[in-house]
């Protein structure tokens, strides 16, 4: 077995992902290219081959920095969505990929977080533990898009249904963003939303590269809610195989009485059903037994609450402590205005 780093064959990877039951957007060659061309991002793509040069496993991580230069080094974290993918549930191969990855990433990131997209069994979790990864419970919300839209709508709570009907009555429109100029308008809305929430957001280059590399292949959709031709809400989703993954969302503060944040998720689910998708992943819902407003909002759309959890490995514990303190004070200073 040999491990190749950052040398990829797009067609070969696509075949592997198509055949793997957990193959997902976060292990595609296209997303690797997006990461390569995003400011303050650095991808790490590990591919495992046997002696016959057959691809048997892979892992895609992205090292993210909030800042450039010295500050970037104390804000560097590595994120893996979905963990390593291996053929035939090969535990030895999972172990090999994690070991090789740890060797590479320890020079680049303070910690690694693996955001699980499925349930790992006990044996698999033990492989992560052996390689220094602790498991934390973390929730997600999944919707079955194979349900008829009217049945899906019936699972929403009364308040969501009422707000969606209000939006429709006010002639709020559901449309797709299909140009870079309009994407830039949507990005301004998105950035204002994240600023208000005091959350970091990737550089514009991430979204523009996503448009350049994924849009024409129908791997990403940029949806908008409009009122009188003005964009009042946006939602960006990844689309791969049978799954839609909710990714980024934003809305205009002065148009909340048009309910874009209720209208858009519903219309995307309806669109997904009508276009043959089977699952809508509504994204993270926080830790169990901890109050989390986002989870409360998402649960009002129905869906199944799952606890696939996350794995985390701290590579530089002292620097992690310093960076957490620095980010706390940075938020206080930046948003005091």
């Amino acid at each position: 077995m040999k491990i190749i780093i950052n040398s990829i064959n797009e067609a070969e990877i696509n075949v592997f992902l198509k055949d793997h039951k957990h193959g997902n957007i976060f292990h595609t060659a296209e997303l690797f290219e997006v990461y390569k061309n995003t400011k303050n991002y650095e991808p790490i793509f590990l591919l495992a081959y046997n002696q016959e040069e057959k691809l048997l496993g892979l892992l895609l991580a992205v090292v993210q920095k909030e800042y450039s230069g010295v500050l970037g080094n104390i804000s560097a974290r590595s994120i893996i969505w979905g963990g390593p993918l291996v053929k035939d549930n090969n535990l030895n191969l999972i172990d090999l990929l994690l070991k090789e990855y740890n060797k590479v990433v320890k020079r680049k990131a303070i910690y690694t977080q693996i955001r699980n997209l499925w349930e790992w069994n006990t044996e698999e979790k033990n492989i992560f533990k052996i390689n220094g990864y602790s498991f934390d419970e973390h929730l997600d919300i999944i919707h079955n898009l194979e349900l008829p839209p009217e049945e899906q709508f019936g699972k929403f709570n009364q308040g969501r249904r009422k707000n969606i009907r209000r939006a429709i009555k006010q002639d709020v429109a559901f449309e797709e963003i299909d140009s870079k100029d309009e994407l830039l308008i949507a990005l301004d809305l998105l950035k204002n939303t994240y600023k208000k929430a005091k959350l970091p957001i990737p550089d514009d280059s991430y979204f523009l590269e996503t448009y350049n590399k994924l849009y024409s292949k129908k791997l990403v959709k940029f949806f908008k809610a409009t009122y009188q031709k003005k964009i009042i809400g946006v939602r960006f989703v990844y689309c791969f195989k049978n799954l839609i993954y909710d990714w980024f969302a934003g809305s205009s503060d002065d148009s909340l009485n048009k309910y874009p944040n209720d209208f858009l998720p519903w219309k995307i689910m309806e669109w997904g059903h009508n276009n043959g998708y089977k699952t809508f992943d509504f994204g993270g819902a926080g830790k169990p037994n901890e109050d989390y407003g986002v989870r409360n909002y998402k649960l009002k759309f129905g869906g199944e609450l799952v606890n696939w959890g996350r794995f985390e490995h701290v590579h530089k514990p002292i620097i992690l402590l310093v960076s957490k303190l620095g980010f706390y004070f940075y938020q206080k200073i930046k948003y005091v205005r």
Side-chain angles (χ1 to χ4, degrees):
M1 196 72 64
K2 66 176 180 179
I3 302 291
I4 304 297
I5 302 175
N6 289 357
S7 179
I8 64 172
N9 180 313
E10 182 177 320
E12 180 183 51
I13 291 170
N14 285 340
V15 170
F16 181 87
L17 295 178
K18 181 181 178 181
D19 294 339
H20 198 292
K21 66 178 181 178
H22 294 310
N24 61 79
I25 187 70
F26 298 105
H27 288 90
T28 58
E30 289 86 353
L31 206 54
F32 171 74
E33 292 297 328
V34 169
Y35 293 154
K36 273 177 56 178
N37 293 289
T38 296
K39 182 180 178 181
N40 294 331
Y41 274 27
E42 180 185 353
I44 303 171
F45 210 158
L46 275 64
L47 300 106
Y49 294 87
N50 62 12
Q51 292 182 342
E52 289 75 38
E53 300 294 326
K54 182 178 181 181
L55 180 62
L56 296 183
L58 50 78
L59 181 157
L60 176 58
V62 57
V63 177
Q64 303 175 352
K65 298 179 180 180
E66 301 301 331
Y67 322 99
S68 301
V70 176
L71 285 178
N73 295 329
I74 63 170
S75 66
R77 60 176 183 165
S78 183
I79 305 296
I80 301 171
W81 279 272
L85 292 179
V86 300
K87 187 175 176 59
D88 300 327
N89 194 36
N90 188 320
L91 297 179
N92 290 330
L93 191 47
I94 294 174
D95 182 58
L96 176 62
L97 282 168
L98 289 174
K99 281 182 167 55
E100 291 299 315
Y101 167 75
N102 284 345
K103 291 178 185 176
V104 175
V105 77
K106 68 181 181 181
R107 302 188 302 271
K108 300 176 180 291
I110 301 167
Y111 70 94
T112 293
Q113 188 177 83
I114 300 176
R115 299 178 178 178
N116 297 324
L117 300 177
W118 62 85
E119 181 74 34
W120 296 93
N121 65 36
T122 302
E123 287 183 311
E124 292 164 336
K125 286 181 178 178
N126 190 51
I127 297 297
F128 285 94
K129 183 177 180 180
I130 290 170
N131 283 280
Y133 290 82
S134 60
F135 179 83
D136 292 317
E137 293 188 333
H138 202 275
L139 303 171
D140 200 352
I141 299 174
I142 303 297
H143 289 259
N144 177 12
L145 296 184
E146 295 184 283
L147 294 175
E150 59 273 16
E151 186 175 341
Q152 187 82 253
F153 189 74
K155 289 179 173 292
F156 296 2
N157 82 350
Q158 184 178 359
R160 297 309 98 178
R161 296 197 302 269
K162 184 181 293 186
N163 289 345
I164 292 165
R165 292 189 184 108
R166 286 169 173 166
I168 294 171
K169 188 175 181 180
Q170 295 179 83
D171 294 324
V172 175
F174 174 70
E175 299 171 302
E176 187 175 340
I177 295 169
D178 57 7
S179 71
K180 283 187 179 180
D181 289 342
E182 200 165 50
L183 179 60
L184 291 173
I185 296 172
L187 282 181
D188 285 339
L189 196 61
L190 198 68
K191 287 185 285 189
N192 287 336
T193 299
Y194 274 70
K195 181 179 180 180
K196 183 180 177 182
K198 301 181 181 180
L199 292 172
I201 189 170
D203 182 76
D204 286 2
S205 56
Y206 168 78
F207 299 100
L208 294 173
E209 283 300 312
T210 297
Y211 181 89
N212 291 337
K213 299 293 192 305
L214 275 65
Y215 181 74
S216 64
K217 297 184 178 183
K218 300 182 179 180
L219 296 176
V220 67
K221 291 290 183 181
F222 305 96
F223 290 114
K224 61 181 178 179
T226 60
Y227 176 69
Q228 297 180 347
K229 298 184 178 181
K230 177 186 176 183
I231 297 177
I232 62 172
V234 296
R235 211 152 195 118
F236 302 165
V237 299
Y238 282 136
C239 304
F240 190 80
K241 292 168 73 171
N242 297 317
L243 184 140
I244 297 173
Y245 191 93
D246 192 47
W247 199 225
F248 283 93
S251 59
S252 171
D253 286 344
D254 59 6
S255 299
L256 295 181
N257 62 343
K258 304 297 184 293
Y259 308 101
N261 296 321
D262 297 328
F263 177 75
L264 277 173
W266 157 238
K267 295 302 290 185
I268 291 170
M269 291 182 205
E270 184 182 50
W271 175 89
H273 172 87
N274 293 336
N275 284 274
Y277 291 92
K278 295 182 178 180
T279 305
F280 177 73
D281 188 329
F282 216 163
K287 295 180 180 295
N289 305 316
E290 288 186 10
D291 289 335
Y292 187 52
V294 174
R295 178 171 67 244
N296 297 335
Y297 156 74
K298 291 180 178 180
L299 283 175
K300 292 177 180 178
F301 293 86
E304 177 189 1
L305 194 64
V306 296
N307 188 356
W308 292 329
R310 291 178 172 179
F311 294 107
E312 188 167 297
H313 186 351
V314 178
H315 308 292
K316 302 175 182 178
I318 295 176
I319 297 179
L320 176 62
L321 177 61
V322 171
S323 68
K324 282 184 176 180
L325 290 171
F327 181 67
Y328 172 79
F329 287 112
Y330 168 77
Q331 281 190 310
K332 291 291 185 183
I333 295 171
K334 183 175 182 180
Y335 298 104
V336 72
R337 309 189 197 107

